[in-house]
Tab-separated table of all heavy atoms in Angstrom:
chain	number	residue	atom	x	y	z
A	33	GLN	N	-62.475	-1.786	-19.157
A	33	GLN	CA	-62.709	-0.472	-18.565
A	33	GLN	C	-62.558	0.632	-19.598
A	33	GLN	O	-61.493	0.813	-20.193
A	33	GLN	CB	-61.733	-0.200	-17.415
A	33	GLN	CG	-61.953	1.189	-16.811
A	33	GLN	CD	-60.904	1.621	-15.808
A	33	GLN	OE1	-60.015	0.840	-15.454
A	33	GLN	NE2	-60.994	2.861	-15.363
A	35	TYR	N	-62.353	4.514	-19.864
A	35	TYR	CA	-62.220	5.825	-19.215
A	35	TYR	C	-62.781	6.817	-20.235
A	35	TYR	O	-62.117	7.188	-21.207
A	35	TYR	CB	-60.745	6.099	-18.896
A	35	TYR	CG	-60.541	7.327	-18.033
A	35	TYR	CD1	-60.913	7.312	-16.686
A	35	TYR	CD2	-60.025	8.496	-18.558
A	35	TYR	CE1	-60.748	8.436	-15.893
A	35	TYR	CE2	-59.849	9.626	-17.762
A	35	TYR	CZ	-60.216	9.582	-16.437
A	35	TYR	OH	-60.061	10.707	-15.652
A	69	TRP	N	-67.051	-1.478	-18.370
A	69	TRP	CA	-67.235	-0.595	-17.200
A	69	TRP	C	-66.911	0.818	-17.676
A	69	TRP	O	-65.833	1.077	-18.192
A	69	TRP	CB	-66.318	-1.037	-16.055
A	69	TRP	CG	-65.867	0.061	-15.125
A	69	TRP	CD1	-66.562	1.194	-14.765
A	69	TRP	CD2	-64.613	0.150	-14.434
A	69	TRP	NE1	-65.822	1.966	-13.896
A	69	TRP	CE2	-64.629	1.344	-13.671
A	69	TRP	CE3	-63.492	-0.688	-14.367
A	69	TRP	CZ2	-63.544	1.738	-12.870
A	69	TRP	CZ3	-62.426	-0.288	-13.568
A	69	TRP	CH2	-62.455	0.911	-12.828
A	71	THR	N	-66.334	4.736	-16.690
A	71	THR	CA	-66.020	5.633	-15.569
A	71	THR	C	-67.060	6.771	-15.546
A	71	THR	O	-67.796	6.955	-16.525
A	71	THR	CB	-64.585	6.170	-15.696
A	71	THR	OG1	-64.423	6.718	-16.994
A	71	THR	CG2	-63.573	5.050	-15.486
A	72	PRO	N	-67.142	7.539	-14.457
A	72	PRO	CA	-68.273	8.456	-14.273
A	72	PRO	C	-68.459	9.453	-15.415
A	72	PRO	O	-67.500	10.099	-15.858
A	72	PRO	CB	-67.920	9.202	-12.987
A	72	PRO	CG	-66.991	8.305	-12.262
A	72	PRO	CD	-66.218	7.571	-13.325
A	80	ASP	N	-62.111	16.188	-10.366
A	80	ASP	CA	-61.346	14.932	-10.282
A	80	ASP	C	-61.849	13.986	-11.368
A	80	ASP	O	-62.323	12.875	-11.084
A	80	ASP	CB	-61.495	14.315	-8.882
A	80	ASP	CG	-60.721	12.999	-8.738
A	80	ASP	OD1	-59.765	12.784	-9.523
A	80	ASP	OD2	-61.063	12.196	-7.847
A	81	GLY	N	-61.760	14.443	-12.606
A	81	GLY	CA	-62.138	13.592	-13.746
A	81	GLY	C	-63.532	12.987	-13.620
A	81	GLY	O	-63.752	11.869	-14.069
A	82	GLY	N	-64.470	13.698	-13.005
A	82	GLY	CA	-65.848	13.209	-12.915
A	82	GLY	C	-66.151	12.442	-11.643
A	82	GLY	O	-67.305	12.070	-11.408
A	83	TYR	N	-65.126	12.194	-10.807
A	83	TYR	CA	-65.374	11.537	-9.509
A	83	TYR	C	-65.816	12.568	-8.464
A	83	TYR	O	-65.668	12.375	-7.263
A	83	TYR	CB	-64.148	10.753	-9.042
A	83	TYR	CG	-63.991	9.438	-9.786
A	83	TYR	CD1	-63.172	9.335	-10.904
A	83	TYR	CD2	-64.693	8.307	-9.380
A	83	TYR	CE1	-63.051	8.136	-11.592
A	83	TYR	CE2	-64.578	7.100	-10.061
A	83	TYR	CZ	-63.760	7.025	-11.167
A	83	TYR	OH	-63.648	5.850	-11.846
A	84	ASP	N	-66.317	13.681	-8.955
A	84	ASP	CA	-66.901	14.726	-8.114
A	84	ASP	C	-68.251	15.041	-8.759
A	84	ASP	O	-68.349	15.819	-9.690
A	84	ASP	CB	-65.990	15.964	-8.082
A	84	ASP	CG	-65.526	16.422	-9.460
A	84	ASP	OD1	-65.171	15.576	-10.323
A	84	ASP	OD2	-65.547	17.639	-9.721
A	118	ASP	N	-70.066	3.477	-13.006
A	118	ASP	CA	-69.391	3.840	-11.768
A	118	ASP	C	-70.397	4.560	-10.873
A	118	ASP	O	-71.207	5.327	-11.373
A	118	ASP	CB	-68.264	4.833	-12.123
A	118	ASP	CG	-66.940	4.482	-11.509
A	118	ASP	OD1	-66.886	4.400	-10.284
A	118	ASP	OD2	-65.963	4.324	-12.264
A	120	VAL	N	-70.404	6.891	-7.220
A	120	VAL	CA	-69.439	7.566	-6.336
A	120	VAL	C	-70.144	7.968	-5.036
A	120	VAL	O	-70.624	9.095	-4.898
A	120	VAL	CB	-68.828	8.807	-7.046
A	120	VAL	CG1	-67.660	9.373	-6.233
A	120	VAL	CG2	-68.374	8.458	-8.458
A	122	ASN	N	-68.945	7.899	-1.735
A	122	ASN	CA	-68.188	8.360	-0.560
A	122	ASN	C	-68.270	9.875	-0.403
A	122	ASN	O	-68.208	10.399	0.694
A	122	ASN	CB	-66.727	7.923	-0.671
A	122	ASN	CG	-65.912	8.390	0.523
A	122	ASN	OD1	-66.123	7.933	1.642
A	122	ASN	ND2	-65.010	9.341	0.298
A	123	HIS	N	-68.388	10.546	-1.561
A	123	HIS	CA	-68.369	12.007	-1.523
A	123	HIS	C	-69.172	12.547	-2.693
A	123	HIS	O	-69.373	11.849	-3.690
A	123	HIS	CB	-66.927	12.523	-1.620
A	123	HIS	CG	-66.104	11.783	-2.647
A	123	HIS	ND1	-65.277	10.728	-2.316
A	123	HIS	CD2	-66.016	11.902	-3.988
A	123	HIS	CE1	-64.700	10.252	-3.412
A	123	HIS	NE2	-65.144	10.947	-4.452
A	163	VAL	N	-56.085	11.706	0.618
A	163	VAL	CA	-55.387	10.782	-0.286
A	163	VAL	C	-54.604	11.572	-1.338
A	163	VAL	O	-53.574	11.117	-1.834
A	163	VAL	CB	-56.414	9.834	-0.952
A	163	VAL	CG1	-55.769	8.977	-2.028
A	163	VAL	CG2	-57.097	8.967	0.098
A	164	PHE	N	-55.086	12.750	-1.660
A	164	PHE	CA	-54.403	13.574	-2.665
A	164	PHE	C	-53.361	14.515	-2.052
A	164	PHE	O	-52.848	15.399	-2.716
A	164	PHE	CB	-55.421	14.418	-3.443
A	164	PHE	CG	-56.349	13.609	-4.328
A	164	PHE	CD1	-57.566	14.134	-4.729
A	164	PHE	CD2	-56.000	12.346	-4.782
A	164	PHE	CE1	-58.419	13.408	-5.557
A	164	PHE	CE2	-56.845	11.614	-5.602
A	164	PHE	CZ	-58.058	12.137	-5.987
A	181	LEU	N	-61.753	13.263	2.119
A	181	LEU	CA	-60.614	12.339	2.035
A	181	LEU	C	-59.866	12.496	0.719
A	181	LEU	O	-58.746	12.028	0.572
A	181	LEU	CB	-61.087	10.897	2.205
A	181	LEU	CG	-61.631	10.550	3.597
A	181	LEU	CD1	-62.066	9.099	3.657
A	181	LEU	CD2	-60.581	10.824	4.680
A	182	PHE	N	-60.514	13.131	-0.248
A	182	PHE	CA	-59.851	13.369	-1.539
A	182	PHE	C	-59.683	14.893	-1.690
A	182	PHE	O	-59.230	15.531	-0.746
A	182	PHE	CB	-60.641	12.681	-2.663
A	182	PHE	CG	-60.606	11.175	-2.503
A	182	PHE	CD1	-61.561	10.507	-1.736
A	182	PHE	CD2	-59.578	10.423	-3.036
A	182	PHE	CE1	-61.501	9.132	-1.526
A	182	PHE	CE2	-59.496	9.044	-2.834
A	182	PHE	CZ	-60.466	8.408	-2.077
A	183	ALA	N	-60.065	15.467	-2.815
A	183	ALA	CA	-59.846	16.908	-3.002
A	183	ALA	C	-60.863	17.712	-2.184
A	183	ALA	O	-61.932	17.198	-1.851
A	183	ALA	CB	-59.973	17.248	-4.482
A	186	GLN	N	-64.413	17.556	-3.078
A	186	GLN	CA	-65.097	16.263	-2.908
A	186	GLN	C	-65.431	16.018	-1.435
A	186	GLN	O	-64.844	15.138	-0.792
A	186	GLN	CB	-64.199	15.133	-3.444
A	186	GLN	CG	-63.938	15.227	-4.949
A	186	GLN	CD	-62.808	14.318	-5.401
A	186	GLN	OE1	-61.660	14.515	-4.984
A	186	GLN	NE2	-63.102	13.335	-6.225
A	216	ARG	N	-69.695	-0.238	-10.447
A	216	ARG	CA	-68.368	-0.277	-9.836
A	216	ARG	C	-68.461	0.791	-8.739
A	216	ARG	O	-68.774	1.958	-9.006
A	216	ARG	CB	-67.313	0.064	-10.891
A	216	ARG	CG	-65.875	0.144	-10.368
A	216	ARG	CD	-65.507	1.569	-10.088
A	216	ARG	NE	-64.097	1.756	-9.781
A	216	ARG	CZ	-63.587	2.853	-9.278
A	216	ARG	NH1	-64.365	3.894	-9.029
A	216	ARG	NH2	-62.309	2.954	-9.039
A	217	ILE	N	-68.261	0.364	-7.516
A	217	ILE	CA	-68.510	1.250	-6.380
A	217	ILE	C	-67.208	1.911	-5.955
A	217	ILE	O	-66.291	1.265	-5.439
A	217	ILE	CB	-69.154	0.463	-5.222
A	217	ILE	CG1	-70.468	-0.149	-5.735
A	217	ILE	CG2	-69.402	1.367	-4.021
A	217	ILE	CD1	-70.955	-1.308	-4.915
A	218	ASP	N	-67.148	3.211	-6.212
A	218	ASP	CA	-65.949	3.989	-5.937
A	218	ASP	C	-65.730	4.100	-4.423
A	218	ASP	O	-66.661	4.387	-3.673
A	218	ASP	CB	-66.137	5.388	-6.544
A	218	ASP	CG	-64.876	6.206	-6.520
A	218	ASP	OD1	-63.896	5.791	-7.149
A	218	ASP	OD2	-64.873	7.279	-5.871
A	219	VAL	N	-64.497	3.881	-3.991
A	219	VAL	CA	-64.147	4.019	-2.575
A	219	VAL	C	-65.153	3.266	-1.684
A	219	VAL	O	-65.666	3.785	-0.688
A	219	VAL	CB	-64.026	5.498	-2.142
A	219	VAL	CG1	-63.269	5.614	-0.825
A	219	VAL	CG2	-63.314	6.328	-3.182
A	221	HIS	N	-64.752	1.183	0.396
A	221	HIS	CA	-64.225	0.914	1.739
A	221	HIS	C	-64.235	2.157	2.616
A	221	HIS	O	-63.751	2.137	3.745
A	221	HIS	CB	-62.778	0.419	1.614
A	221	HIS	CG	-61.906	1.379	0.825
A	221	HIS	ND1	-62.238	1.832	-0.413
A	221	HIS	CD2	-60.743	1.997	1.142
A	221	HIS	CE1	-61.316	2.666	-0.854
A	221	HIS	NE2	-60.404	2.789	0.079
A	277	GLU	N	-64.487	-1.113	-5.408
A	277	GLU	CA	-63.121	-0.588	-5.404
A	277	GLU	C	-62.790	-0.425	-3.927
A	277	GLU	O	-63.171	0.560	-3.289
A	277	GLU	CB	-63.014	0.768	-6.110
A	277	GLU	CG	-61.563	1.211	-6.190
A	277	GLU	CD	-61.295	2.668	-5.832
A	277	GLU	OE1	-62.155	3.340	-5.249
A	277	GLU	OE2	-60.190	3.133	-6.128
A	279	TRP	N	-59.850	-0.777	-0.940
A	279	TRP	CA	-58.454	-0.980	-0.541
A	279	TRP	C	-58.488	-1.548	0.867
A	279	TRP	O	-58.913	-0.873	1.802
A	279	TRP	CB	-57.682	0.337	-0.585
A	279	TRP	CG	-57.466	0.814	-1.980
A	279	TRP	CD1	-58.326	1.564	-2.727
A	279	TRP	CD2	-56.342	0.536	-2.830
A	279	TRP	NE1	-57.799	1.780	-3.985
A	279	TRP	CE2	-56.581	1.171	-4.075
A	279	TRP	CE3	-55.140	-0.174	-2.665
A	279	TRP	CZ2	-55.691	1.113	-5.134
A	279	TRP	CZ3	-54.254	-0.226	-3.731
A	279	TRP	CH2	-54.526	0.406	-4.944
A	301	PHE	N	-56.239	-5.635	-5.652
A	301	PHE	CA	-55.113	-4.723	-5.853
A	301	PHE	C	-53.784	-5.310	-5.364
A	301	PHE	O	-52.728	-4.813	-5.695
A	301	PHE	CB	-55.385	-3.378	-5.175
A	301	PHE	CG	-56.508	-2.606	-5.829
A	301	PHE	CD1	-57.589	-2.152	-5.100
A	301	PHE	CD2	-56.473	-2.328	-7.189
A	301	PHE	CE1	-58.617	-1.440	-5.701
A	301	PHE	CE2	-57.499	-1.625	-7.807
A	301	PHE	CZ	-58.570	-1.177	-7.056
A	337	ASN	N	-55.415	0.363	-14.394
A	337	ASN	CA	-56.655	1.138	-14.421
A	337	ASN	C	-56.285	2.615	-14.531
A	337	ASN	O	-55.116	2.941	-14.755
A	337	ASN	CB	-57.543	0.816	-13.201
A	337	ASN	CG	-56.899	1.242	-11.878
A	337	ASN	OD1	-56.155	2.214	-11.821
A	337	ASN	ND2	-57.205	0.506	-10.822
A	338	HIS	N	-57.270	3.493	-14.367
A	338	HIS	CA	-57.044	4.916	-14.601
A	338	HIS	C	-56.338	5.611	-13.434
A	338	HIS	O	-56.163	6.823	-13.467
A	338	HIS	CB	-58.392	5.595	-14.858
A	338	HIS	CG	-59.284	5.541	-13.645
A	338	HIS	ND1	-59.796	4.355	-13.166
A	338	HIS	CD2	-59.710	6.502	-12.800
A	338	HIS	CE1	-60.503	4.596	-12.074
A	338	HIS	NE2	-60.473	5.890	-11.832
A	339	ASP	N	-55.965	4.858	-12.400
A	339	ASP	CA	-55.318	5.455	-11.225
A	339	ASP	C	-53.867	5.043	-11.053
A	339	ASP	O	-53.205	5.531	-10.133
A	339	ASP	CB	-56.057	5.020	-9.945
A	339	ASP	CG	-57.429	5.652	-9.805
A	339	ASP	OD1	-57.624	6.777	-10.312
A	339	ASP	OD2	-58.306	5.013	-9.199
A	394	ASP	N	-54.708	15.997	-13.019
A	394	ASP	CA	-54.891	15.214	-11.804
A	394	ASP	C	-54.828	16.151	-10.591
A	394	ASP	O	-53.818	16.827	-10.389
A	394	ASP	CB	-53.763	14.172	-11.725
A	394	ASP	CG	-53.896	13.267	-10.509
A	394	ASP	OD1	-54.763	13.522	-9.654
A	394	ASP	OD2	-53.117	12.296	-10.436
A	395	PRO	N	-55.909	16.175	-9.786
A	395	PRO	CA	-55.887	17.089	-8.633
A	395	PRO	C	-54.741	16.791	-7.668
A	395	PRO	O	-54.258	17.691	-6.978
A	395	PRO	CB	-57.239	16.853	-7.951
A	395	PRO	CG	-57.797	15.594	-8.520
A	395	PRO	CD	-57.159	15.411	-9.868
A	403	GLN	N	-50.332	11.333	-2.972
A	403	GLN	CA	-50.145	10.506	-4.161
A	403	GLN	C	-49.116	11.151	-5.074
A	403	GLN	O	-48.937	12.358	-5.043
A	403	GLN	CB	-51.465	10.446	-4.934
A	403	GLN	CG	-52.285	9.248	-4.612
A	403	GLN	CD	-53.398	9.083	-5.631
A	403	GLN	OE1	-53.515	9.868	-6.568
A	403	GLN	NE2	-54.190	8.068	-5.434
A	407	ARG	N	-51.420	10.638	-12.337
A	407	ARG	CA	-52.400	9.757	-12.959
A	407	ARG	C	-52.779	10.172	-14.374
A	407	ARG	O	-53.435	9.415	-15.074
A	407	ARG	CB	-53.645	9.659	-12.074
A	407	ARG	CG	-53.358	8.983	-10.730
A	407	ARG	CD	-54.622	8.862	-9.910
A	407	ARG	NE	-55.211	10.173	-9.689
A	407	ARG	CZ	-56.423	10.372	-9.183
A	407	ARG	NH1	-57.176	9.347	-8.853
A	407	ARG	NH2	-56.894	11.594	-9.000
A	411	ARG	N	-53.931	8.215	-18.664
A	411	ARG	CA	-55.241	8.649	-19.153
A	411	ARG	C	-55.160	9.329	-20.515
A	411	ARG	O	-56.122	9.971	-20.951
A	411	ARG	CB	-55.866	9.610	-18.139
A	411	ARG	CG	-56.086	8.971	-16.785
A	411	ARG	CD	-56.610	9.950	-15.760
A	411	ARG	NE	-56.838	9.274	-14.475
A	411	ARG	CZ	-57.295	9.868	-13.375
A	411	ARG	NH1	-57.568	11.156	-13.399
A	411	ARG	NH2	-57.473	9.181	-12.266
B	601	GLC	C1	-61.241	6.241	-6.825
B	601	GLC	C2	-61.135	6.544	-8.297
B	601	GLC	C3	-60.204	7.710	-8.463
B	601	GLC	C4	-60.769	8.897	-7.733
B	601	GLC	C5	-61.044	8.569	-6.284
B	601	GLC	C6	-61.911	9.597	-5.636
B	601	GLC	O1	-60.058	5.796	-6.282
B	601	GLC	O2	-60.728	5.410	-8.999
B	601	GLC	O3	-59.988	8.012	-9.811
B	601	GLC	O4	-59.874	9.962	-7.806
B	601	GLC	O5	-61.724	7.347	-6.143
B	601	GLC	O6	-63.221	9.500	-6.110
Side-chain angles (χ1 to χ4, degrees):
Q33 179 189 355
Y35 189 71
W69 151 32
T71 52
D80 180 22
Y83 283 95
D84 49 318
D118 229 302
V120 190
N122 180 67
H123 43 264
V163 173
F164 292 158
L181 293 180
F182 294 89
Q186 296 167 296
R216 176 263 189 193
I217 301 160
D218 189 62
V219 197
H221 55 307
E277 185 225 15
W279 290 86
F301 293 126
N337 65 31
H338 65 293
D339 289 331
D394 182 352
Q403 265 193 1
R407 295 182 302 169
R411 299 176 179 180

